Amino acid sequence: MTTTEPGFRPSHVVPREGMPTWSTPDGTQPSAPLDPLLPVQLTDRRGDWARVVCSNGWSAWVDGRLLVSVPMGPPAAGQPPARSADPRPLLARVEGELGRYRWAAEELSAGRVDSETFQQQTRGMRVGLVVDGEALWLYDAAHERWCYCDGVSLKTLATSERPSASMPPPYEPEPARAEPPDSAPPTQWGDFR
């Protein structure tokens, strides 16, 4: 039987797959993995690293980007709600990349460009999007991670990078790609008719 430390209040849950832990926030000293869906309390952050405490008092460092937040009640009167990542800039970037890809594919299909030009125009594009009703999953290529969107905020679900001790840079839109001067890609979804 495990005992719960006094004052333990979980702030997060371990993902369904469980997760590895480390003794220090540098990835050099692995520790025992955490069980799937284990409630933990986040006590410290160092960039992507998060120190979590389990209900029995045991603590370790984990990739904090993968922790699942436990919903909290509404803020007390007079306190503003916590801010979270606005999904609109990432949605606009995905929409723009998809539009540029579709434009390049139309140019190739119409015979206005050859396959080598098509490859040059699409080189480096990385887009991921899954929509299921109100749920949305977006791939954030700038930070190499999948994010879940509930329509209001973004939450990181999976990442391909190891955690780092530095904070990720704030979102900045990528500069627009140069297009051939005689034609331009559509800028609105309605332009694809």
Side-chain angles (χ1 to χ4, degrees), residues 84-97 100 138-145 147 154 167-176:
S84 56
D86 184 345
R88 292 174 295 180
L90 182 54
L91 284 166
R93 189 169 72 209
V94 168
E95 182 179 8
E97 287 291 284
R100 282 187 281 285
L138 290 166
Y139 182 69
D140 180 357
H143 299 108
E144 296 187 6
R145 62 186 175 191
C147 300
L154 290 174
M167 294 300 288
Y171 170 78
E172 291 184 22
E174 294 176 7

Side-chain angles (χ1 to χ4, degrees), residues 4-174:
T4 301
E5 288 288 309
F8 177 78
R9 184 169 184 191
S11 59
H12 293 78
V13 175
V14 172
R16 289 176 204 249
E17 304 79 35
M19 68 188 319
T21 67
W22 292 268
S23 298
T24 57
D26 59 12
T28 60
Q29 299 175 356
S31 191
L34 294 175
D35 291 335
L37 304 177
L38 178 72
V40 295
Q41 184 178 40
L42 179 75
T43 60
D44 193 8
R45 275 241 189 234
R46 294 194 189 158
D48 296 332
W49 292 99
R51 183 176 173 270
V52 295
V53 177
C54 300
S55 64
N56 64 1
W58 186 78
S59 69
W61 289 91
V62 299
D63 183 346
R65 299 169 295 180
L66 304 179
L67 291 170
V68 180
S69 295
V70 172
M72 297 293 177
Q79 294 179 340
R83 297 188 66 200
S84 56
D86 184 345
R88 292 174 295 180
L90 182 54
L91 284 166
R93 189 169 72 209
V94 168
E95 182 179 8
E97 287 291 284
L98 184 59
R100 282 187 281 285
Y101 184 89
R102 179 154 184 187
W103 173 79
E106 293 287 338
E107 295 291 295
L108 179 64
S109 294
R112 292 187 285 269
V113 299
D114 59 17
S115 60
E116 185 177 328
T117 302
F118 174 74
Q119 289 174 355
Q120 290 172 353
Q121 290 173 340
T122 58
R123 184 172 291 127
M125 285 187 183
R126 295 183 77 201
V127 176
L129 174 70
V130 176
V131 179
D132 184 16
E134 75 280 1
L136 173 74
W137 291 265
L138 290 166
Y139 182 69
D140 180 357
H143 299 108
E144 296 187 6
R145 62 186 175 191
W146 277 95
C147 300
Y148 171 76
C149 177
D150 60 7
V152 177
S153 63
L154 290 174
K155 296 173 181 68
T156 300
L157 287 185
T159 182
S160 58
E161 298 176 336
R162 289 188 57 126
S164 72
S166 62
M167 294 300 288
Y171 170 78
E172 291 184 22
E174 294 176 7

